[in-house]
C-alpha cells in the first residue's frame, strides 16, 4: 500500500479535532461568567484586553490562589494586560488596599505582593486586625522603602484617589467577593474552582479579542 496517501487520509481525519482544540470553550452565561450591567475597564486599555483581579490581602482564598494566578498571568499574551486591584470593602480591607496602592506608587508592589500574603497567612509577621501604618512601613523596608516615605505615600491624596477608584470599580462590576476576575470590565468570571476560573478567563479573553477595542 502507498504510505503517502494513507498519511494524507489520516491528517484529513485529524484536522477537525485540531480545529476543535484550538477553538475557545463555549461558555454559559450565569454559570461560567456574568455580564456586567455597566461595563467599562478599570483603566484605559491602550488597545489591550484588560484582566483585573480584585483581591484582598486578608482573604485566605486569595492567598491560596496567588501562586497559581501568578504563573497564569506570567504566560498571558502581549495583547493582554493583567492588573491587580485591591478590594476596598471597608475596615481592614481598606488598610491593606492602601498598603498595596502605596507600594504600587513606590514601584515595589510586584516584588512584595506575594510576600504580603505570606506575612499574613503563613509567617503571621503582620497582624490582620488593627494593623498600624508603621507596621506596614516596617514590612516595606525589606523592599528598600524608607518608613517615612512609605507613611507619606500611604497617607497621600494619590493613594486616596486610587482607593476611591478601586471601590467604585468593585461597586460598578458588583464583585461578590474575592478573588474575582473581570475581563475588559465586561465579564465577571465564574467557576467552581481556581482551575475553572482560569479556564473560563482564557476563553473570555479569546472572546474579547473578537470584539471592538475600547
Amino acid at each position: 500500500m502507498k504510505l503517502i496517501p494513507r498519511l494524507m487520509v489520516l491528517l484529513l481525519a485529524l484536522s477537525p479535532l485540531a480545529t476543535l482544540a484550538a477553538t475557545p470553550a463555549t461558555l454559559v452565561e450565569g454559570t461560567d461568567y456574568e455580564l456586567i450591567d455597566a461595563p467599562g475597564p478599570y483603566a484605559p486599555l491602550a488597545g489591550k484586553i484588560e484582566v483585573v483581579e480584585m483581591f484582598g490581602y486578608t482573604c485566605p482564598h486569595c492567598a491560596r490562589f496567588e501562586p497559581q494566578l501568578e504563573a497564569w498571568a506570567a504566560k498571558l499574551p502581549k495583547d493582554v494586560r493583567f492588573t491587580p486591584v485591591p478590594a476596598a470593602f471597608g475596615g481592614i480591607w481598606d488598610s491593606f488596599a492602601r498598603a498595596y496602592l502605596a507600594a504600587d506608587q513606590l514601584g515595589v508592589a510586584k516584588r512584595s505582593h506575594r510576600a504580603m500574603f505570606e506575612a499574613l497567612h503563613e509567617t503571621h509577621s503582620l497582624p490582620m486586625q488593627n494593623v498600624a501604618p508603621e507596621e506596614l512601613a516596617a514590612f516595606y523596608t525589606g523592599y528598600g522603602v524608607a518608613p517615612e516615605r512609605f507613611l507619606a505615600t500611604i497617607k497621600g491624596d494619590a493613594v486616596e484617589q486610587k482607593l476611591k477608584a478601586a471601590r467604585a470599580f468593585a461597586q460598578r462590576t458588583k464583585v461578590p467577593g474575592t478573588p474575582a476576575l473581570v475581563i475588559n470590565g465586561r465579564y465577571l468570571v465564574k467557576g467552581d474552582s481556581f482551575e475553572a476560573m482560569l479556564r473560563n478567563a482564557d476563553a473570555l479573553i479569546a472572546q474579547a479579542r473578537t470584539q471592538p477595542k475600547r
Side-chain angles (χ1 to χ4, degrees), residues 25 47 63 83 96 111 198:
T83 305
F96 285 101
R111 291 192 288 126
L198 294 179

Side-chain angles (χ1 to χ4, degrees), residues 4-176:
I4 293 178
R6 289 183 63 189
L7 286 174
M8 290 179 66
V9 170
L10 180 60
L11 288 172
L12 288 171
L14 290 175
S15 60
L17 295 178
T19 302
L20 182 62
T23 303
T26 301
L27 302 185
V28 178
E29 183 180 350
T31 300
D32 302 311
Y33 70 94
E34 294 286 356
L35 276 177
I36 292 169
D37 293 334
Y42 174 71
L45 294 177
K48 292 192 175 184
I49 296 166
E50 180 188 67
V51 177
V52 162
E53 183 218 6
M54 186 70 66
F55 73 93
Y57 276 135
T58 58
C59 167
H61 306 293
C62 297
R64 288 196 297 273
F65 190 30
E66 181 57 28
Q68 192 172 350
L69 179 67
E70 186 179 285
W72 176 82
K75 297 177 182 177
L76 286 171
K78 291 182 179 180
D79 66 338
V80 179
R81 187 184 67 192
F82 178 75
T83 305
V85 175
F89 295 156
I92 59 171
W93 293 87
D94 286 12
S95 297
F96 285 101
R98 284 189 174 91
Y100 174 82
L101 294 170
D104 188 46
Q105 187 168 327
L106 292 166
V108 298
K110 288 185 179 179
R111 291 192 288 126
S112 61
H113 190 55
R114 190 166 173 179
M116 177 62 84
F117 282 117
E118 293 170 353
L120 288 167
H121 299 275
E122 295 180 25
T123 65
H124 307 289
S125 55
L126 276 174
M128 287 197 189
Q129 299 288 340
N130 302 317
V131 64
E134 291 76 14
E135 291 174 297
L136 293 168
F139 171 83
Y140 286 105
T141 59
Y143 299 90
V145 180
E148 59 273 15
R149 188 180 176 207
F150 179 83
L151 291 171
T153 303
I154 198 172
K155 296 175 183 178
D157 290 339
V159 165
E160 193 62 30
Q161 290 305 311
K162 289 179 180 178
L163 186 80
K164 290 178 180 178
R167 182 180 293 120
F169 183 78
Q171 291 172 344
R172 178 169 58 79
T173 56
K174 298 180 181 178
V175 170

